[in-house]
Amino acid sequence: METTGKKALINFTLNTGKYQVFIDEMTELARRRQSTAVYFANVHMFVEAHNSEAFLELINKADIVTPDGQPLAWMLKLLYGIKQDRVAAMDFMPDMLARMQQEQLPVYFYGGTQKMLEMADAFVKKEYPQLKVAGLYSPPFRPLTADEENEIAAMINAAAPGLVFVFLGCPKQERWMASMKGKVNAVMTGVGGSIPVTIGMQKRAPSWMQHAGLEWLYRFFQEPKRLFKRYAYTNSVFMWVMTKAFIKLRILKPLRLVK
């Protein structure tokens, strides 16, 4: 079976490959119930890692980090000549629900509010009637103790899912999955804000905005008060870091080689 590769976007390691290869690889891992941490990387996550060496180390130790954000896929092309599919959580989630139904592998939902979980359960029963939901759990909105983490891992393992959809928000969900690596016997996927879109709580941006890398702008229009500060900061930092990398790799390095 074809598997994904890896490439560092400056110092932020991403998996590379065709979208379908990601789906197939994660399906096989789910079939084996292999403890796996899967992160969907966007500009926000990149900047979190840029600002925190500890979080960057956590990202670089993950099993799979997909280029969720279109700007990350673009920069792989611009800096390294790698033509990379965008592997977005909002596409992955419905596709993987369908694949898990096809493979008869149970799924588990971890995170969010109880109301959101109830809506997710109702959505799956309607859209994927043959898919087994092994469990749904809304954790406390506070740091978990070591005993609580062990109890939650045991609860999930007892339900025996192939795949766990984790939606706690970045960077909380990535830290949780890292702490559960080796404890939860399933593929853990940090789908974050994709679940409200998948189950119909929010609308997704039109296709032209997705392809133009403007999905963040559509989300901003939906939640301007919550997202203004984040996008103003993270987008600015990302542009600055990428501009410096472009000058170094695509302008100064070729000039040094000529000399």
Side-chain angles (χ1 to χ4, degrees):
M1 184 186 75
E2 186 178 355
T3 59
T4 60
K6 287 184 181 287
K7 177 64 181 179
L9 180 58
I10 305 176
N11 59 356
F12 186 99
T13 303
L14 289 163
N15 285 68
T16 57
K18 296 295 184 182
Y19 176 83
Q20 191 58 47
V21 173
F22 281 85
I23 296 291
D24 293 342
E25 185 173 342
M26 284 185 250
T27 299
E28 180 57 31
L29 291 167
R31 192 181 291 118
R32 300 202 303 259
R33 287 176 170 77
Q34 184 168 324
S35 187
T36 307
V38 180
Y39 307 156
F40 291 85
N42 55 17
V43 169
H44 176 212
M45 187 184 293
F46 182 93
V47 173
E48 287 281 346
H50 175 73
N51 292 337
S52 168
E53 288 188 12
F55 190 59
L56 176 62
E57 183 179 1
L58 181 150
I59 294 293
N60 289 339
K61 286 182 177 179
D63 299 287
I64 298 174
V65 183
T66 86
D68 178 293
Q70 187 67 62
L72 272 66
W74 282 342
M75 293 313 299
L76 284 172
K77 173 68 173 177
L78 189 62
L79 296 181
Y80 310 111
I82 298 172
K83 187 177 180 181
Q84 174 57 47
D85 289 346
R86 182 186 179 198
V87 184
M90 288 188 188
D91 298 315
F92 167 86
M93 197 169 178
D95 288 348
M96 208 61 182
L97 285 168
R99 179 63 76 87
M100 293 296 97
Q101 176 175 253
Q102 177 185 331
E103 298 286 335
Q104 298 184 331
L105 290 170
V107 300
Y108 199 102
F109 291 88
Y110 181 90
T113 63
Q114 192 60 40
K115 180 181 178 182
M116 181 181 287
L117 290 177
E118 290 170 0
M119 292 181 67
D121 192 36
F123 170 81
V124 170
K125 286 176 179 176
K126 178 183 177 183
E127 300 294 332
Y128 308 92
Q130 304 304 314
L131 175 63
K132 181 182 177 182
V133 176
L136 308 99
Y137 184 70
S138 176
F141 287 88
R142 57 169 173 76
L144 300 173
T145 66
D147 286 342
E148 286 174 326
E149 284 192 349
N150 291 333
E151 289 171 4
I152 288 170
M155 176 180 66
I156 295 174
N157 289 336
L163 186 139
V164 181
F165 291 107
V166 183
F167 39 102
L168 301 172
C170 177
K172 185 178 179 181
Q173 64 193 15
E174 287 73 31
R175 290 181 175 134
W176 183 84
M177 288 184 284
S179 72
M180 289 296 184
K181 178 72 187 297
K183 296 179 181 179
V184 170
N185 302 322
V187 176
M188 297 171 283
T189 61
V191 293
S194 68
I195 189 165
V197 176
T198 301
I199 66 178
M201 292 177 67
Q202 296 177 1
K203 291 184 178 180
R204 190 176 183 184
S207 295
W208 71 268
M209 294 189 80
Q210 297 173 36
H211 297 312
L214 295 174
E215 196 157 11
W216 66 271
L217 185 61
Y218 190 85
R219 290 188 64 197
F220 170 72
F221 287 145
Q222 291 179 312
E223 301 179 88
K225 290 183 179 179
R226 185 176 76 85
L227 296 175
F228 175 78
K229 186 176 180 180
R230 178 203 291 184
Y231 285 155
Y233 173 71
T234 57
N235 288 0
S236 298
V237 171
F238 183 77
M239 289 295 294
W240 172 241
V241 171
M242 290 301 135
T243 299
K244 289 194 298 181
F246 178 80
I247 293 171
K248 179 180 178 181
L249 294 173
R250 306 296 283 182
I251 298 176
L252 297 181
K253 185 177 179 180
L255 286 176
R256 288 195 295 268
L257 290 175
V258 170
K259 292 179 182 180

